[in-house]
Amino acid sequence: MGKRLLLVEDEPTLARALVRLLRRASFDVTLATSCAEAQKPLGTFSVGVFDIDLPDGDGVELAEGLRRSGVVRRLVFFSGTPVGKKRVRALGLGPFVEKSKGYGELRAAIERVLDCKQAKVAGDEHSESGEPTDPPPSGVRGSRPRGNE
């Protein structure tokens, strides 16, 4: 198996489907169906995928705590949470994928955060090399000098 992934999802049918699909994609998946279950000693993970609205707590707070304690290195949120404070907080920590977008979008977000050249830590706008991770918008010149400028 590949990278270790913690999936925190309380909806049983969706959780089973995601575990199956992620394992097929070579992830070593551990499923937690609640905040309490995710806080048990489960080892360390390259990435955590979190639902935001869990029956026993806030998935954003859970994700923050698990990252702070070193249990998960990178965060992805997969939720149907409407626009609001929780969603804004989640976006400050990692990519947010609406459940309605499906597995393909989720997998793409996971792959992006695991790509060392693209992965960002919350608040960091540069890759590990120190270069910006996103190109400037079309028509905007980059900050690198060219020639004798």
Side-chain angles (χ1 to χ4, degrees):
M1 286 252 158
K3 304 263 186 202
R4 291 199 74 215
L5 183 145
L6 174 63
L7 173 63
V8 184
E9 173 58 58
D10 63 316
E11 201 284 303
T13 304
L14 178 59
R16 280 191 305 273
L18 289 173
V19 167
R20 186 176 60 252
L21 291 166
L22 289 164
R23 286 182 176 157
R24 281 186 195 158
S26 299
F27 289 98
D28 179 6
V29 181
T30 298
L31 173 65
T33 59
S34 66
C35 290
E37 194 174 332
Q39 292 172 330
K40 293 178 183 176
L42 301 170
T44 59
F45 300 88
S46 302
V47 63
V49 176
F50 297 86
D51 189 358
I52 292 178
D53 293 314
L54 297 164
D56 63 342
D58 179 340
V60 179
E61 287 179 13
L62 172 67
E64 286 176 307
L66 292 177
R67 188 176 69 193
R68 197 171 30 254
S69 66
V71 172
V72 293
R73 293 189 62 206
R74 294 180 178 91
L75 309 174
V76 175
F77 296 91
F78 189 59
S79 182
T81 297
V83 176
K85 290 180 183 180
K86 285 183 184 179
R87 188 166 170 166
V88 170
R89 283 186 15 246
L91 283 166
L93 299 170
F96 182 99
V97 178
E98 291 198 30
K99 286 183 177 178
S100 64
K101 298 289 184 183
Y103 171 73
E105 291 287 326
L106 174 61
R107 170 110 184 259
I110 293 167
E111 295 292 344
R112 280 192 307 273
V113 299
L114 289 175
D115 179 359
C116 292
K117 293 179 184 174
Q118 296 288 329
K120 294 183 192 179
V121 175
D124 183 13
E125 296 183 6
H126 298 306
S127 69
E128 292 177 5
S129 68
E131 293 295 324
T133 57
D134 298 318
S138 179
V140 176
R141 289 177 47 181
S143 60
R144 291 185 188 152
R146 293 186 304 179
N148 291 332
E149 292 181 47

